């Protein structure tokens, strides 16, 4: 699925909150300022993306990605988002997020990450696969 991201300067992204069920991404035009876009995934089933990334290119998931996620979580999820982004490595990060629902809000959101992101501050990517 393609997220209906509103037009704007959304090239810097970060994980603001992740508690194993709810994933909140915030985006803006510069990491040192507030964020103007928030994307919230609820009841996440699978997450593969860097903590911080730039210039995501959202696209439809490939048949292989759909099969991978269905195999890992037991069925095709209601929401499956795929994108490539600059995650700081030599190659673009290939990202997948599977969840039950999502919401997009525009506004003014703080840039600081939540203290309850439970996978270590130095981790560059993470996967939510506790029920596999």
């Amino acid at each position: 699925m393609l997220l209906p991201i509103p037009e704007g300067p959304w090239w810097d992204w970060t994980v603001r909150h992740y508690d194993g069920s709810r994933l909140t991404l915030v985006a803006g035009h510069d990491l040192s300022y507030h964020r103007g876009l928030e994307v919230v995934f609820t009841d996440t089933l699978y997450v593969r993306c860097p903590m911080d990334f730039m210039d995501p290119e959202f696209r439809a998931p490939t048949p292989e990605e759909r099969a991978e996620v269905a195999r890992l979580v037991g069925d095709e999820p209601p929401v499956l988002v795929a994108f490539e982004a600059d995650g700081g490595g030599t190659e673009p990060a290939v990202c997948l997020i599977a969840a039950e629902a999502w919401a997009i809000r525009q506004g003014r959101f703080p840039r600081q990450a939540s203290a309850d992101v439970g996978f270590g501050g130095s981790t560059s990517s993470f996967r939510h696969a506790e029920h596999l």
Side-chain angles (χ1 to χ4, degrees):
M1 99 176 271
L2 292 174
L3 284 177
I5 302 293
E7 286 197 39
W10 317 126
W11 50 83
D12 285 333
W13 292 70
T14 193
V15 173
R16 183 167 180 275
H17 172 89
Y18 183 63
D19 63 11
S21 177
R22 182 182 179 104
L23 171 68
T24 303
L25 304 176
V26 290
H29 63 84
D30 190 309
L31 289 174
S32 61
Y33 297 103
H34 72 277
R35 306 312 173 115
L37 183 72
E38 179 182 73
V39 180
V40 179
F41 296 93
T42 53
D43 298 323
T44 57
L45 303 166
Y46 181 82
V47 175
R48 181 178 71 204
C49 76
M51 288 290 297
D52 298 300
F53 54 94
M54 296 177 63
D55 300 321
E57 292 188 26
F58 293 95
R59 58 171 175 76
T62 66
E64 294 80 14
E65 290 167 333
R66 288 183 179 285
E68 172 190 354
V69 171
R71 181 181 53 80
L72 291 171
V73 303
D75 199 5
E76 188 162 325
V79 176
L80 182 57
V81 175
F83 60 96
E84 275 90 27
D86 179 351
T90 58
E91 298 289 324
V94 178
C95 307
L96 285 172
I97 300 172
E100 292 293 324
W102 57 268
I104 296 175
R105 297 186 317 149
Q106 283 187 269
R108 188 174 178 95
F109 306 100
R111 65 183 169 89
Q112 291 86 6
S114 177
D116 55 356
V117 175
F119 42 79
S122 63
T123 304
S124 62
S125 65
F126 60 96
R127 291 182 185 207
H128 174 62
E130 293 150 347
H131 38 304
L132 305 180

